[in-house]
Amino acid sequence: MKVSSRRLVVWTAAGTGVRGVKGDGGPAVEAQVTSPTALAVQYSKTQELALYFTESVRHVVRRLDLLSNLLTTVAGTGSPGTGGEGEPGRMSALANPQGLTVDNERGLLYIAEFANRRIRALTIATGLIDTAVGGGGIPLEKCDHAMGLALASPLGVTVGPEGDLYFSDQWAHRVIRIVRSSGAPEVVAGSGRRGYAGDGGPALAADMDCPSGVAVSDHGDLYVSDESNRRIRRVDARTGVIQSIVTDIRATFLTTVHGGLLINDLDASCIFDWRESTGDLSLVSGTGSPGYSGDGGPAQFAELDGPNAVVAGRLSGSFYIADQNNHRVRCVADRDLIT
């Protein structure tokens, strides 16, 4: 296995290593974090503003202000429930929130609410939350609008370059797109059958087994973590053909970076970089053994424990890891950029 040639260093951005609820509203490194699940970055044209992450077992979404380094809760009450429409996020109950993504153009934070079978949209400027997808009982084949759609288990979510919303419906074994211009849902990958088949053919005819993370490149290619099949699959934007690009890796939430992907390997407790031009996979963080060590040192020698997600900061070149079993969010950046 190759090791990345970048001079990367790792440190803790949030969490003390002790699971709990103390410290909300204060410095992130002094606040307790419980099993961070998924991550998303908010940014302006010139800087990264905030890192959002779910704590699925606590049914909340938290915000790390990247300018002040303060940590706050923005959605969820800490108890599972079904929140209403137009409520302040902090007063609206969630149930098992999983993937999330920021639509930076529209100022929305999308949250895949797994147990309530819907996707919520938090308006960042106001803090109010509404349902964006799901909550209805209409099968996809008969549904012409996102709000009426019946979902099984939305998990991973991302926004494509044209503003369309993509998400995995894990137990339905498919990936769905909500077309921004019309609000209409459509399947973009997965036959709905559980299994593994279809590489080299149309993505709509491919069998998947519990897809989780989704990501879309700047030119529209769709990447799916076909989690139970232990592979990453790509759907070509031009042809609609699906192909496995990485195998024997249990990834959950992945992220696009310039020229490739950052991929978490939950079982190996590592983060890998995949290059589109060569297909090479390189280690960027983790030793292959679960643990906690390495803050302030080279990322490839730092121990992680069950990294459940990775997300890239599009402007800084840094990236963040949901170090789930260590109850921390960790940051990795080029040593040359740290002063």
Side-chain angles (χ1 to χ4, degrees):
M1 176 65 64
K2 286 187 173 183
V3 175
S4 173
S5 59
R6 293 176 63 188
R7 299 176 67 235
L8 298 172
V9 65
V10 64
W11 69 93
T12 294
T16 63
V18 177
R19 59 182 296 163
V21 300
K22 294 180 180 178
D24 209 51
V29 293
E30 298 175 9
Q32 293 176 338
V33 169
T34 302
S35 302
T37 310
L39 308 157
V41 176
Q42 176 195 4
Y43 53 87
S44 67
K45 292 182 179 180
T46 58
Q47 61 186 337
E48 291 159 13
L49 301 175
L51 175 74
Y52 294 87
F53 60 92
T54 48
E55 293 182 23
S56 183
V57 298
R58 288 192 53 237
H59 313 285
V60 297
V61 179
R62 305 182 80 180
R63 180 183 190 269
L64 168 56
D65 188 304
L66 296 176
L67 304 181
S68 68
N69 292 318
L70 299 179
L71 185 67
T72 55
T73 299
V74 296
T77 63
S79 298
T82 304
E85 305 302 314
E87 299 176 333
R90 290 198 62 163
M91 298 174 62
S92 187
L94 303 174
N96 196 12
Q98 292 281 334
L100 72 172
T101 192
V102 177
D103 185 334
N104 284 284
E105 180 182 341
R106 301 172 73 181
L108 297 174
L109 173 69
Y110 290 105
I111 305 161
E113 200 181 354
F114 188 86
N116 280 331
R117 302 182 180 185
R118 59 186 181 174
I119 294 174
R120 307 277 271 162
L122 180 83
T123 301
I124 293 173
T126 65
L128 301 180
I129 194 167
D130 295 279
T131 298
V133 185
I138 305 173
L140 188 141
E141 293 75 12
K142 298 180 180 181
C143 187
D144 62 2
H145 197 275
M147 286 290 290
L149 186 60
L151 300 178
S153 49
L155 193 76
V157 60
T158 194
V159 175
E162 302 301 321
D164 298 340
L165 184 69
Y166 294 76
F167 63 92
S168 60
D169 197 358
Q170 189 176 51
W171 292 347
H173 312 291
R174 57 191 182 184
V175 178
I176 297 169
R177 173 173 62 194
I178 306 297
V179 180
R180 178 175 177 176
S181 59
S182 65
E186 60 182 24
V187 179
V188 290
S191 65
R193 297 182 299 268
R194 183 178 185 179
Y196 170 66
D199 273 0
L204 294 177
D207 296 349
M208 295 182 174
D209 193 348
C210 296
S212 52
V214 292
V216 181
S217 71
D218 289 340
H219 46 272
D221 286 347
L222 170 67
Y223 297 92
V224 183
S225 172
D226 195 354
E227 185 176 352
S228 292
N229 282 322
R230 299 181 60 85
R231 59 188 62 227
I232 307 297
R233 302 174 81 176
R234 176 178 58 194
V235 179
D236 188 284
R238 295 175 296 106
T239 65
V241 170
I242 193 169
Q243 192 69 51
S244 294
I245 57 170
V246 180
T247 59
D248 195 28
I249 192 168
R250 185 180 164 217
T252 43
F253 300 103
L254 62 164
T255 185
T256 54
V257 291
H258 181 69
L261 294 171
L262 286 173
I263 303 168
N264 73 308
D265 188 337
L266 194 59
D267 292 338
S269 289
C270 290
I271 305 295
F272 295 99
D273 177 88
W274 175 80
R275 294 289 88 197
E276 184 179 23
S277 59
T278 62
D280 288 344
L281 195 67
S282 300
L283 175 71
V284 292
S285 189
T287 64
S289 298
Y292 172 70
S293 68
D295 275 1
Q300 67 266 33
F301 300 133
E303 289 178 319
L304 308 171
D305 192 350
N308 201 64
V310 58
V311 69
R314 294 175 66 92
L315 302 178
S316 67
S318 61
F319 59 92
Y320 299 89
I321 302 167
D323 199 356
Q324 189 173 43
N325 297 333
N326 283 321
H327 309 296
R328 291 175 167 94
V329 174
R330 301 174 81 179
C331 183
V332 177
D334 281 300
R335 182 183 298 276
D336 295 339
L337 297 178
I338 299 172
T339 58

